[in-house]
Amino acid sequence: MCLLCDRPFQASSSWYDVVLRKFPPVICERCRESFEAAEPNDDVEALFTYNDAMKHYIERYKFGKDVALAEVFRSDIYEALRNRRETIVAVPLHRERLHERTFSQVHCLLEAAHIPYANILKKVVHDQQSKKTLAERQNNKNRFLLQGEICIQGQEFIIVDDIYTTGATVGEIKNILLSHGATKVSSFVLAKVKSNKNYLV
């Protein structure tokens, strides 16, 4: 059954898929085609554009707490990140938000794709982006701190988040890492909001 529309579909894996660690599909082709591939962007590497299908997916996955949906894009995430040599950093939730939601959507996306990541960040401000204006999002500051023993000096990092709206979150984290000696910091997201859209995420 398709995890998104509940329609039956045939999903099979060959020994070749197993050897290459390819994941069997969990959604049907019709649902798959409803997602729009993102255009290349200098600011962030995004897999998809935040269209209506992605909005519905995020609502079910993140806000509806349907953790099984972390598997929907695991093949895409795996293929995009499996050969990267940079240290992958997942954008964390504040501990109160994690308690409310019961899971971290970004961490679960990476774990479903079998992508290792480093827990070097702690969110210290309990806020909700969807309740902020554009100006308030762009002026977000001092929401994250470094934690743990990982060496930042001379290292390269990829910041991973689910949705990219204004770039304020990844921008703040990028500045933190660079100020502690990182030589390069890039970002990777599941979906990027088009500049002319006004979705709340």
Side-chain angles (χ1 to χ4, degrees):
M1 300 287 284
C2 174
L3 288 183
L4 295 181
C5 69
D6 294 328
R7 292 187 181 93
F9 78 104
Q10 188 66 34
S12 59
S13 295
S14 67
W15 66 268
Y16 185 75
D17 293 331
V18 174
V19 170
L20 293 182
R21 294 188 66 183
K22 289 188 176 180
F23 301 101
V26 294
I27 61 173
C28 65
E29 193 62 28
R30 178 178 176 179
C31 285
R32 176 75 186 182
E33 291 175 353
S34 66
F35 297 100
E36 178 185 349
E39 297 178 357
N41 186 284
D42 293 335
D43 297 327
V44 61
E45 180 183 350
L47 289 176
F48 300 97
T49 293
Y50 192 83
N51 63 0
D52 288 334
M54 183 60 70
K55 180 176 183 289
H56 180 63
Y57 166 80
I58 291 295
E59 288 173 348
R60 282 187 56 185
Y61 172 52
K62 185 158 68 172
F63 304 118
K65 302 179 182 180
D66 193 346
V67 186
L69 296 186
E71 297 183 355
V72 169
F73 301 109
R74 57 185 178 176
S75 291
D76 304 277
I77 295 171
Y78 176 73
E79 289 300 325
L81 297 177
R82 65 190 180 99
N83 292 324
R84 301 293 288 265
R85 296 184 177 182
E86 304 98 314
T87 298
I88 293 174
V89 177
V91 174
L93 293 177
H94 187 274
R95 65 179 183 278
E96 293 182 21
R97 178 72 65 205
L98 181 59
H99 178 73
E100 294 168 3
R101 191 170 293 161
T102 71
F103 72 102
S104 167
Q105 72 275 6
V106 180
H107 291 75
C108 286
L109 287 173
L110 291 171
E111 289 165 7
H114 298 176
I115 298 296
Y117 57 88
N119 279 315
I120 63 172
L121 292 171
K122 178 181 181 180
K123 190 173 185 183
V124 294
V125 175
H126 183 39
D127 58 357
Q128 189 169 346
Q129 292 291 85
S130 62
K131 295 183 178 180
K132 293 185 177 184
T133 65
L134 176 61
E136 287 173 334
R137 292 187 186 196
Q138 291 174 330
N139 290 323
N140 284 329
K141 294 179 180 178
N142 304 318
R143 294 180 300 153
F144 300 94
L145 293 175
L146 287 174
Q147 66 175 4
E149 303 296 328
I150 188 169
C151 176
I152 307 297
Q153 185 73 35
Q155 303 299 312
E156 297 184 357
F157 296 88
I158 305 176
I159 304 165
V160 176
D161 206 356
D162 55 348
I163 305 298
Y164 183 101
T165 51
T166 65
T169 296
V170 296
E172 181 181 350
I173 295 172
K174 179 178 181 178
N175 289 337
I176 291 172
L177 294 172
L178 290 174
S179 68
H180 283 78
T183 56
K184 179 183 177 183
V185 181
S186 58
S187 54
F188 172 90
V189 297
L190 177 63
K192 182 181 184 298
V193 176
K194 289 183 177 179
S195 59
N196 62 339
K197 294 292 185 181
N198 190 31
Y199 291 125
L200 292 180
V201 293

